Amino acid sequence: MKTRVKLGVAVAASLMLAGGQAMSKEYKVGVLLPFSGVYAGLGAHIENGFKLGLEHYGADLGSDTITMVRSDTEAKPAASLAKTKKMVLQDKVDVLVGVVSSAVLGGMRDFVHNSGTPLVVANAGNDHMTGEKCSPNIVRVSFSNSQINRPVGGWLAKQGVKTAYLMAPDYAAGHQMMEAFKKTFTEAGGTIVGEAYPPLQGTKDYGPYITAAKAAKPDAIYTFFAGGAAITFVKQYHDFGVKKDIPLYGAGFLTSAAYVHVQGEAADGTVAALHYVPAIDTPENKKFQDAYQAAHQKVGSEFAVAGYDAAHLIVQAIKKSGGDKDAFKAALSKAEFNGPRGPLRIDPATNNVVQNIYLFKNEFKDGKVVQTILDTIPDVQDAPNGCSM
Ligand code: BEZ
């Protein structure tokens, strides 16, 4: 499907030809997101945010147009690679945006690296893609898996939690998130008393895993689940009645604004960490939430914000580069702005985003879940981790 977005009427000075004549260009964006499978809902949020970002930031791009071509990655690496190749080789997109799953990003990395077409990652946190497998063609505006979880180990140990049980889906993101937490938690004196990695696709019953975690008698359980898996896990954890003895913590996708209303009372008492929480009190976030809620009658989630900021990043780079491909890529790698999540910048050493991480709690009050920020860890930046570009 193609969507044509006509952007505004004013003409940017950098896009004028010598004689003062406007030089218009059609930028083709290939949007690769899961619209089916375990992460289907997440793809819809990212796409909605991306379109809103184009409206907000692309309004003064003059006679230029941005055309979107979209494809369903199904959160499956093989299908995603085939669709990425089609977008680059056949559709000839100028830039790719998307991918939710770390496994999908890992599977398309070599093709993107060799193709010369830049990819703006709007979710997938795979650490290696801005570490040892980094590429000048891959710029991430969302988060890395370790960036979200690394700050939580020490924070939780400070709250008096001495032992933890880990649980996450059995794929790259699950393992990387748990490893990052484990490292800082054990460095702060904590002990991991057990871990479990249920399959990503198709796990309907977390009962046996919850029973095993309970038997290990930890002070807390620390998890990563997202999308449909997060809804099911949080509800089943609540139904098992374990939370009063073993409080539930995790990477904040566990109780995302995208679906915390569906979890309802089951989310009560959960504490989590994320790069965006709707409760952030800034004019940038208010502008985003007001517009997103007016358009979709839903709260904008971290997934929508990643799409919104991806559009901001791309439009900013178009304005700075005036149509030159190398200048466009260089501008992506040096981007910096304030968005709904607060200040963010791309670290040119890794092409990963540098941003705040928020610790927040969920409370079920008057029939709805209220998310309150407990702590902000500012300016969290990944080490190069083997990246050399
Ligand atoms: C990932 O696979 O990187 C991922 C998927 C959903 C939410 C967060 C991370």
Side-chain angles (χ1 to χ4, degrees):
M1 194 199 106
K2 272 189 177 185
T3 310
R4 201 178 168 82
V5 188
K6 177 73 185 68
L7 295 167
V9 285
V11 178
S14 61
L15 299 176
M16 301 291 282
L17 292 174
Q21 208 186 341
M23 175 181 70
S24 43
K25 184 164 168 24
E26 183 184 288
Y27 294 90
K28 222 183 216 189
V29 181
V31 176
L32 284 159
L33 289 169
F35 298 112
S36 60
V38 69
Y39 289 149
L42 284 46
H45 277 248
I46 295 173
E47 187 181 37
N48 289 341
F50 186 72
K51 287 182 179 165
L52 185 64
L54 289 183
E55 272 177 41
H56 282 185
Y57 297 104
D60 59 353
L61 261 183
S63 56
D64 288 0
T65 54
I66 294 186
T67 306
M68 280 169 59
V69 193
R70 74 203 274 281
S71 206
D72 179 6
T73 63
E74 307 161 44
K76 292 184 182 153
S80 306
L81 178 58
K83 288 171 180 179
T84 308
K85 286 183 177 173
K86 180 188 171 288
M87 280 192 171
V88 171
L89 302 173
Q90 193 174 315
D91 301 329
K92 304 215 178 302
V93 299
D94 296 296
V95 56
L96 296 158
V97 175
V99 311
V100 163
S101 156
S102 281
V104 166
L105 181 57
M108 64 199 272
R109 183 266 171 204
D110 287 352
F111 175 75
V112 171
H113 177 70
N114 293 318
S115 76
T117 302
L119 163 67
V120 174
V121 180
N123 190 73
N126 194 326
D127 286 326
H128 301 318
M129 304 306 133
T130 48
E132 66 204 28
K133 299 284 266 178
C134 70
S135 164
N137 292 335
I138 299 177
V139 176
R140 181 159 46 208
V141 74
S142 48
F143 57 87
S144 76
N145 291 331
S146 57
Q147 182 179 42
I148 302 246
N149 296 279
R150 196 170 58 235
V152 193
W155 187 87
L156 211 56
K158 256 197 219 149
Q159 316 298 310
V161 174
K162 292 192 168 48
T163 59
Y165 191 98
L166 310 182
M167 205 184 297
D170 188 12
Y171 81 113
H175 288 280
Q176 290 175 5
M177 293 208 199
M178 294 303 103
E179 280 308 310
F181 170 81
K182 192 195 283 187
K183 185 165 189 303
T184 53
F185 184 63
T186 53
E187 280 169 1
T191 304
I192 304 297
V193 293
E195 33 196 314
Y197 296 91
L200 170 65
Q201 309 265 10
T203 305
K204 299 260 180 299
D205 180 9
Y206 290 97
Y209 301 100
I210 294 170
T211 306
K214 188 179 169 196
K217 295 192 171 41
D219 292 344
I221 179 162
Y222 189 76
T223 62
F224 157 66
F225 288 104
I231 298 174
T232 307
F233 177 80
V234 167
K235 283 188 170 178
Q236 292 183 359
Y237 198 77
H238 180 73
D239 291 347
F240 267 70
V242 188
K243 221 185 327 169
K244 57 181 182 349
D245 298 321
I246 310 172
L248 177 57
Y249 295 88
F253 311 102
L254 188 68
T255 55
S256 168
Y259 37 74
V260 74
H261 58 284
V262 181
Q263 295 165 328
E265 191 179 357
D268 187 48
T270 332
V271 172
L274 209 52
H275 54 297
Y276 175 75
V277 191
I280 292 168
D281 187 11
T282 60
E284 290 84 3
N285 190 34
K286 184 170 174 0
K287 178 181 171 189
F288 164 75
Q289 283 294 346
D290 286 353
Y292 193 91
Q293 289 178 29
H296 301 289
Q297 293 74 53
K298 283 182 194 148
V299 175
S301 64
E302 69 278 16
F303 305 111
V305 166
Y308 184 78
D309 286 343
H312 191 168
L313 192 75
I314 288 171
V315 171
Q316 196 184 67
I318 287 175
K319 287 178 183 169
K320 285 192 177 155
S321 59
D324 179 82
K325 203 171 171 181
D326 291 337
F328 176 73
K329 277 199 234 171
L332 290 177
S333 300
K334 285 189 215 128
E336 194 165 352
F337 54 80
N338 267 319
R341 67 182 101 171
L344 72 80
R345 65 181 196 278
I346 303 297
D347 175 2
T350 61
N351 276 353
N352 195 45
V353 64
V354 181
Q355 60 189 336
N356 297 342
I357 299 297
Y358 303 94
L359 272 304
F360 67 98
K361 70 173 175 198
N362 294 287
E363 285 170 295
F364 190 66
K365 284 184 191 161
D366 303 326
K368 62 177 184 159
V369 182
V370 178
Q371 298 187 321
T372 312
I373 295 173
L374 300 173
D375 230 330
T376 302
I377 321 250
D379 216 33
V380 180
Q381 180 169 16
D382 283 0
N385 293 325
C387 171
S388 100
M389 284 202 253

